Amino acid sequence: MSDTALEPGQGGAAPLPASHDMSEVRDWIALLKPRVMTLVVFSGVVGLLVAPGALAMPPVLAVTAILCIAVASGAAGAINMWFDRDIDAVMRRTAKRPIPDGRIAPRAALAFGIWLAVGSVTVMWMATNLAAAAILALSIAFYVFVYTMWLKRRTPQNIVIGGAAGAFPPVIGWAAVTGDVTLVPIILFAIVFAWTPPHFWALSLWAHDDYARAGVPMLPVTAGARETRRQIMFYTVLLAPLGLAPWLVGFAGPAYAAVAAVLGAMFLRHALAVLRDAQDEAGRSLTRDAPAKACFRFSLYYLFVLFGALALDRLVLGA
């Protein structure tokens, strides 16, 4: 609250509603979806570090590129929260977000997101190259227009197609160093793309009531829990060999391959546990979706460890 704000009854201009006051810093940070940003930034850092010539890149430019990826992710998150404020208000896990809770005005959130988006792309272009800036702009546009505004409320394939938005960061990190896109960043893109459906559908199995209440056609709502479990298994089967692809094309060494193989086997084990979860006749879990919750948690570790192993393999072992 500003020190010069008038108290009720002091006269002068009436005080602004609480939702238009100076919100606390943490509310603006919450708009950026910091939990999502963590994974986005990490995968972007790995894409940058494993790119040819990364160690010769001036550190200030490397840090600037990563900050641009982080800010762009936050910008997309803020615009997403602005657009989804109506459904966020009726979902238990999102009702306390800054906009539906009245702590930040929708227009302010939208302006905040737009300025961050424009700023991050502009600085990326100035600090690195046009290719990295263009892919960064594409990732923001894809998340905002393709996923948030088009797919999310229209099709249960929203996560499958929309998952491309979260798969761009390693490509952006690579392009920030090299100025181009080759087979390896495309493989990293494919890994994140295939990882996204089992990751989010595991979450949606135990949050399906929220999605149903908000009218969001997530797969458990439209096709049922049983089909969702099958799809989690299907995409995990695709993901496991994809994790080995950097080694198969000669970009990574045997140490990475061993880590990728173990992680892939563990993910398959979790997906199989989800598929075999005790269910009633309608396919609803009789274990409070315990396997799905475990699968969701492991999926987070999977991507961090897999990409971390790739970076270590390239930088430490010199594959």
Side-chain angles (χ1 to χ4, degrees):
M1 180 83 72
S2 171
D3 292 335
T4 59
L6 294 173
E7 296 295 333
Q10 281 186 305
L16 292 172
S19 61
H20 293 272
D21 284 344
M22 290 183 63
S23 302
E24 295 184 14
V25 172
R26 66 173 178 266
D27 291 331
W28 293 99
I29 293 175
L31 277 181
L32 306 179
K33 295 190 174 182
R35 291 182 180 179
V36 174
M37 187 190 295
T38 301
L39 187 55
V40 166
V41 170
F42 180 75
S43 61
V45 167
V46 171
L48 186 149
L49 289 177
V50 303
L55 296 181
M57 188 178 191
V60 66
L61 295 185
V63 171
T64 300
I66 296 306
L67 286 176
C68 287
I69 293 174
V71 172
S73 171
I79 298 172
N80 170 271
M81 285 200 192
W82 162 77
F83 189 80
D84 279 349
R85 63 192 184 277
D86 57 332
I87 60 176
D88 281 350
V90 299
M91 296 175 64
R92 282 192 298 270
R93 66 186 187 87
T94 58
K96 292 299 181 181
R97 284 178 172 175
I99 301 176
D101 202 38
R103 303 194 306 275
I104 292 179
R107 285 187 179 182
L110 176 60
F112 183 56
I114 292 173
W115 277 110
L116 289 180
V118 172
S120 63
V121 172
T122 302
V123 173
M124 180 68 90
W125 188 358
M126 295 172 62
T128 60
N129 54 70
L130 178 59
I135 302 169
L136 186 66
L138 176 62
S139 69
I140 298 171
F142 199 96
Y143 186 78
V144 170
F145 297 108
V146 178
Y147 171 68
T148 300
M149 296 185 180
W150 178 35
L151 295 172
K152 185 173 181 178
R153 306 187 189 211
R154 287 177 171 82
T155 171
Q157 296 301 307
N158 47 21
I159 288 301
V160 178
I161 305 170
F168 280 114
V171 182
I172 298 166
W174 179 286
V177 178
T178 66
D180 61 15
V181 177
T182 57
L183 177 61
V184 173
I186 292 173
I187 289 173
L188 299 182
F189 177 96
I191 290 172
V192 181
F193 185 81
W195 167 87
T196 302
H199 168 70
F200 276 102
W201 282 336
L203 166 66
S204 69
L205 276 173
W206 46 276
H208 68 280
D209 288 343
D210 257 357
Y211 289 116
R213 189 181 304 109
V216 178
M218 292 295 283
L219 193 62
V221 177
T222 60
R226 187 170 285 117
E227 178 59 26
T228 302
R229 293 187 184 93
R230 293 193 189 101
Q231 291 297 315
I232 288 173
M233 190 72 223
F234 173 77
Y235 278 95
T236 307
V237 168
L238 289 180
L239 176 63
L242 265 177
L244 288 166
W247 170 68
L248 292 173
V249 300
F251 184 75
Y256 168 81
V259 173
V262 170
L263 288 173
M266 293 175 69
F267 209 149
L268 286 168
R269 182 172 176 269
H270 278 284
L272 188 60
V274 173
L275 185 65
R276 294 177 173 176
D277 188 16
Q279 307 160 41
D280 63 16
E281 292 182 359
R284 291 185 294 264
S285 173
L286 299 176
T287 65
R288 292 190 172 184
D289 287 303
K293 293 175 182 178
C295 185
F296 174 77
R297 288 192 296 268
F298 177 79
S299 69
L300 292 171
Y301 294 121
Y302 172 88
L303 210 56
F304 274 110
V305 176
L306 185 75
F307 275 34
L310 181 62
L312 288 174
D313 187 271
R314 295 292 299 175
L315 298 176
V316 178
L317 301 180

